[in-house]
Amino acid sequence: MTDSKPNTLVSEEEIHKRVDEISRQINSDFEGKGTLVLVGVLKGAFIFLADLSRKLTIPHSIEFIAVSSYGTQGADSGAVRLLMDVREDLVGRHVLVVEDILDTGHTLDYLTTLLKARNPASLSTCVLVRKTDRVQVNVHIDYLGFDIPDVWVVGYGLDFAEKHRTLPYIGVVKSDSD
Ligand code: IMP
Ligand code: MG
């Protein structure tokens, strides 16, 4: 992998249009239900969460949770570890988990199991991109940005070894042979 500019997979315009559509859907689904708790999954979801939350017209609060997959990045062992928990009590609250990417599905499966055990009034999931061909665990996604092929994506919060997180679009890192 090189440091050269990643090829565009999903453009900035496409992302903004989709974030707009998703936020409108969330506004209408949670209208009149009190304060929605957005739980952003660090680090990758921070930009998506920031854009999404600023489009919401319903009352909402922002929490973060951090997890890590055991082993090296991209390893599919399925073991997930909690690194940082939310601060708020979620009992009786409407909770929306905001995640950057669904790859094997283990991370979101772990998180939904963990958060459901806290007896929220409802638990929904919002995922920016899903690697359709990689999913091993079926986790329900309520709001999905884009389905993408099995490629390593960066940008809009997503990284490759901490690089490219702040790219405004979702790109594919070029391999050295390109
Ligand atoms: P999971 O396999 O669905 O549990 O995803 C594990 C985590 O791997 C995701 O939350 C991301 O942080 C990371 N990940 C998986 N695929 C990519 C990718 O293409 N780019 C950047 N991060 C990824
Ligand atoms: Mg993630």
Side-chain angles (χ1 to χ4, degrees), residues 160-172:
F160 173 69
E162 294 302 322
K163 282 203 196 99
H164 304 302
R165 276 197 203 280
T166 54
L167 270 186
Y169 60 92
I170 298 171
V172 180

Side-chain angles (χ1 to χ4, degrees), residues 10-147:
V10 186
S11 72
E12 199 174 343
E13 292 72 30
E14 288 173 290
I15 295 171
H16 289 161
K17 184 167 168 275
R18 195 76 191 102
V19 171
D20 227 72
E21 289 165 358
I22 291 172
S23 59
R24 265 187 266 127
Q25 189 68 53
I26 295 171
N27 282 332
S28 109
D29 291 351
F30 290 94
E31 181 74 54
K33 292 190 173 171
T35 302
L36 176 67
V37 186
L38 302 181
V39 177
V41 186
L42 293 173
K43 303 178 196 170
F46 82 114
I47 290 178
F48 180 36
L49 179 82
D51 282 353
L52 191 68
S53 65
R54 286 179 293 175
K55 298 258 161 149
L56 294 182
T57 52
I58 51 161
H60 61 279
S61 64
I62 293 169
E63 289 289 321
F64 287 103
I65 199 163
V67 289
S68 134
S69 308
Y70 278 111
T72 51
Q73 196 171 39
D76 304 338
S77 73
V80 180
R81 184 165 56 117
L82 184 67
L83 298 180
M84 190 195 90
D85 206 343
V86 296
R87 296 183 181 200
E88 282 295 307
D89 188 354
L90 301 179
V91 177
R93 310 291 303 275
H94 289 285
V95 176
L96 176 64
V97 179
V98 180
E99 173 64 307
D100 54 356
I101 188 163
L102 191 96
D103 184 18
T104 62
H106 288 296
T107 304
L108 198 60
D109 182 51
Y110 170 87
L111 284 171
T112 52
T113 305
L114 180 87
L115 298 177
K116 261 183 204 154
R118 298 182 183 177
N119 297 318
S122 71
L123 183 71
S124 315
T125 54
C126 177
V127 176
L128 180 65
V129 288
R130 170 173 63 188
K131 288 186 191 172
T132 330
D133 302 334
R134 293 262 310 161
V135 180
Q136 293 174 3
V137 191
N138 254 316
V139 198
H140 182 73
I141 302 180
D142 296 278
Y143 308 96
L144 175 68
F146 305 93
D147 269 315

